[in-house]
Each structure stands twice: as C-alpha cells, then as structure tokens.
Amino acid sequence: MKNNLYLLIDKLASEHSLSCQEYELLLDGRTPELSEYAAKKAVELRQAVYGNDVYIRGLIEISNICKNDCLYCGIRHSNKSCVRYRLSEQEILSCCEEGYTLGFRTFVLQGGEDPFFTDEFLCGLISNIKNKYPDCAVTLSLGERSFQSYKALFEAGADRYLLRHETADPDLYRKLHPENMSLENRLKCLKNLKEIGYQTGCGFMVRAPYQTNRSLAMDLKFVEEFRPDMCGIGPFIPHAATPFCEFPSGTLEETLFLLSLLRLIDPTLLLPATTALGTIDANGREKGILAGANVVMPNLSPVDVRKKYELYNNKICTGEESAQAKEALSRRMEAIGYKLVTDRGDRKEC
Ligand code: SAH
C-alpha cells in the first residue's frame, strides 16, 4: 500500500510542483524506501531527456582570495590561516589547454570575490578562451557583481553563471552571512543573470547550521519558481577555521533525496553530483547520478593550488575526482550504466 508520501512523489513527477508544506512533509517523512522510490522516478525522467549521458565540466579554481566573510566558508576573508593564491591568465589558459586535450568542452572559472578580477581582466580572459576554443562553453562562478559587469562578461563570451542562492530562507541567510550580505541582493544578481541571457545556476547547501526542513522546502520551492538552468547542491561540511567548525556535516542520504526531488521538479535541469558529495562518500558522485544528477565537475586546477582552495575540510583533491583521472571516472560511470560525453553539455529543452 502506498502511503501519502509516495503519492506526493507521484504528483511531483507528473506536475513538477508541490506546495512548500508538501515539500516539508516529504523531507520530514524521508525513509530509505521513499528515497529509493523518488530516485527511481527521477532517473526515469532524466533518462527521457538526457539518456545515459553524463556531462563533465572542468573546474578551475582561479583564486581563493575573497573579500566576503561567509561564516561557513573556509576561504572567508577573516581566515588568517588560509594560504592565498591567484592564478595568472597564463596559468588559467594552460588549465584550459590540458582540459581540452582531456575532452572537456566546458570550463568553469570559480573563485572567491577577489577584487583583482576587474571586468577588464575577465573580459580579456574570457575572449581569449573563447577564441582558442570556440566549441567550448565558459561558466563563471565568481560571486556577486553588478548588472553592468555581468553584462560585459556575457558580451565577452561567457555562457553560464553559477551563483548558489545558499538558502532561500531569509532568517537562515542572515545566520550564515555577515550583515553586509543579503538574500535580497543575491536574488537580484540571479535575476539579472537570467535577464542578460546566461544559462543560470543557483543552489544550496544541505544541512547548513540552523537549517530546518522548512528552510529546505523553501529552497525546493525557490528552484521550482525561479527555473534555473543548473542547480548545485552538496552537503555542508565544516571547516576548522570557521565559526561553524563544530557543526556536523550534511548526510549522503539527505543530499541524494534532495537531488531526486530536484530532478522531479525539473527533468531538464543540469544537476551536478558535486565535489562535496564525493567528499563525504567515496562513491558519492556515482550515487548522485543514480539519484538523478547528470553532471560531474572534475578538478582542472593546477595540482599545487587544489589543497589551498579549501572551502571545507578534507575536500577531495588528489585522486580520482581530478580531471586527469577522467578515464577512471569514465570507467566508474560505465560500471553503473552511464557514459561520460565530450560535449558542451547545454541544457536540453523538454
Ligand atoms: N565566490 C563564489 C564561489 C563560492 S564557492 C560565490 O560566491 O558564488 C562555491 C560554493 O561552495 C558556495 O556557493 C557554497 O555553497 C559552497 N561552500 C562553501 N563553504 C562550504 C562548506 N563549508 N561546506 C559545503 N559547501 C560549501
């Protein structure tokens, strides 16, 4: 006999929408069986749009210098023990070159909010990459910038922008960030990105400190209404040199359930199985794909800076998560019935 929660999963799979309260009921009532049911439906929907293809993105961590002070983040401004670095344009271009040879057709430039990254510098960098690799997409993940700046970067050739909203719950947002940051501005940035024409990604952490199921339900409702092209989620993992060092990590099971619900909300969503998921479980990324994700983002940063881009403790950065280990990743995906593809991996329309 199916109970009401299974019927809610069915409803989400067919209507792609629930009320905030219904999302909360699902999160409160999560069991291994319910998760399995949601994952099965999620995989069916993903299969219909993307088949067995898994898209890859080469992640280049271009700087860990950040003017912000997000309480959860290991590269926050006030972490004096963080050894700071910034890649030069030449170093970034070398990463792209290596990535291209390995079969990557999307480069994700991610970093802290480093004031060195003026529009002038970034526009030059983006047009250089696009001229060299016209068949590749460039994704930026460089935090909050002005409308004008986002527009200039888009006109220079950037295709996508990732800006996790972090939480759609205003009270929680205030607990996770210093006073000079606001959910209002974060959401305005996301709206601007979409309006300019970027393929836009939002996202949130799972089990950030003080996060309740109500907060997570608000995140699901936000994704449902905002309709991003991408959504990055991963478990919160504490970093020893932050105020949240004593809080526990989010769990694999809960993150997988949320991935399935996101897939049910949007069958066409570009949904990564993130590094944080791979950090809390050795097979986290495969499990993420089996829960409904369809993207992985191996690390293409120069090996000596990977450890320094430490958003949270024990971030995987020396083994099979790296771009250089693409063959190993490819075999792991084949073992679960999926195929890594050499493709820009744009979002498909239903
Ligand atoms: N400065 C950019 C990139 C931030 S780092 C920006 O503001 O968008 C990318 C993501 O890592 C963040 O959006 C956050 O969701 C995640 N992150 C940061 N600290 C984390 C932690 N302790 N555990 C898990 N994820 C974390």
Side-chain angles (χ1 to χ4, degrees):
M1 261 290 280
K2 280 186 173 182
N3 72 23
N4 289 342
L5 295 181
Y6 289 80
L7 296 177
L8 278 183
I9 297 283
D10 290 345
K11 182 174 164 194
L12 186 58
S14 58
E15 296 174 18
H16 313 302
S17 170
L18 292 177
S19 69
C20 210
Q21 258 172 343
E22 289 172 321
Y23 284 125
E24 198 180 344
L25 280 175
L26 283 174
L27 295 167
D28 287 342
R30 178 177 59 85
T31 59
E33 295 73 30
L34 187 70
S35 296
E36 201 181 309
Y37 187 75
K40 187 168 157 278
K41 294 260 165 186
V43 165
E44 277 169 22
L45 292 190
R46 197 249 346 255
Q47 206 80 7
V49 183
Y50 292 104
N52 290 327
D53 289 356
V54 172
Y55 295 145
I56 47 171
R57 321 301 192 192
L59 178 64
I60 309 173
E61 298 155 331
I62 64 175
S63 168
N64 69 354
I65 298 169
C66 193
K67 67 178 169 61
N68 286 337
D69 222 12
C70 308
L71 278 78
Y72 44 84
C73 185
I75 65 168
R76 67 199 299 264
H77 179 73
S78 39
N79 179 8
K80 298 285 178 282
S81 61
C82 174
V83 180
R84 306 287 169 172
Y85 74 90
R86 175 190 299 130
L87 299 185
S88 66
E89 172 150 353
Q90 198 42 55
E91 286 172 310
I92 298 169
L93 291 171
S94 302
C95 293
C96 295
E97 191 179 331
E98 185 175 8
Y100 192 86
T101 310
L102 287 165
F104 288 85
R105 295 295 176 268
T106 290
F107 303 117
V108 181
L109 310 184
Q110 188 179 85
E113 290 197 19
D114 181 343
F116 178 83
F117 293 134
T118 58
D119 292 349
E120 194 189 351
F121 173 84
L122 290 173
C123 286
L125 172 66
I126 294 161
S127 50
N128 257 337
I129 298 176
K130 294 291 287 195
N131 282 336
K132 280 198 169 148
Y133 310 104
D135 53 338
C136 291
V138 169
T139 304
L140 303 176
S141 179
L142 299 169
E144 298 175 18
R145 303 177 72 91
S146 68
F147 182 92
Q148 292 316 325
S149 170
Y150 286 149
K151 192 154 190 287
L153 305 180
F154 184 74
E155 281 162 5
D159 302 272
R160 311 189 185 120
Y161 205 105
L162 299 174
L163 185 75
R164 290 189 177 181
H165 62 285
E166 311 297 357
T167 172
D169 174 346
D171 293 333
L172 180 59
Y173 195 94
R174 277 192 292 274
K175 292 192 176 110
L176 302 181
H177 298 95
E179 267 186 18
N180 66 342
M181 292 180 75
S182 72
L183 179 58
E184 199 186 349
N185 195 53
R186 199 87 181 161
L187 298 184
K188 184 153 161 258
C189 286
L190 280 167
K191 191 173 144 271
N192 287 345
L193 289 164
K194 217 177 180 191
E195 189 182 318
I196 290 165
Y198 283 96
Q199 291 180 45
T200 303
C202 63
F204 54 92
M205 282 178 291
V206 178
R207 285 301 150 208
Y210 313 110
Q211 188 179 44
T212 58
N213 283 345
R214 166 65 62 87
S215 309
L216 284 166
M218 290 165 85
D219 288 318
L220 293 172
K221 195 67 193 172
F222 173 73
V223 172
E224 183 197 304
E225 290 176 349
F226 180 68
R227 306 208 61 75
D229 299 286
M230 309 164 280
C231 182
I233 70 161
F236 161 76
I237 304 173
H239 186 291
T242 64
F244 291 161
C245 58
E246 302 285 349
F247 283 87
S249 295
T251 66
L252 173 77
E253 291 74 18
E254 194 160 27
T255 309
L256 295 177
F257 188 50
L258 282 156
L259 283 171
S260 299
L261 297 183
L262 288 165
R263 174 59 64 205
L264 298 178
I265 289 172
D266 186 348
T268 67
L269 190 63
L270 294 167
L271 188 60
T274 55
T275 310
L277 190 59
T279 296
I280 57 165
D281 186 287
N283 297 314
R285 292 185 305 175
E286 289 94 319
K287 289 174 184 170
I289 299 296
L290 293 171
N294 67 330
V295 175
V296 282
M297 301 170 71
N299 197 324
L300 250 189
S301 310
V303 175
D304 61 312
V305 307
R306 286 183 197 166
K307 192 72 205 151
K308 296 184 189 145
Y309 195 78
E310 196 186 24
L311 304 174
Y312 43 81
N313 286 145
N314 307 318
K315 185 186 126 198
I316 44 171
C317 63
T318 48
E320 288 206 356
E321 82 298 336
S322 74
Q324 289 71 16
K326 181 168 158 268
E327 278 314 307
L329 182 63
S330 198
R331 282 193 299 275
R332 278 163 161 247
M333 290 298 154
E334 273 166 27
I336 57 166
Y338 288 80
K339 194 162 132 267
L340 284 193
V341 292
T342 296
D343 192 291
R344 272 173 55 115
D346 287 298
R347 183 194 205 180
K348 287 195 177 159
E349 299 298 327
C350 224

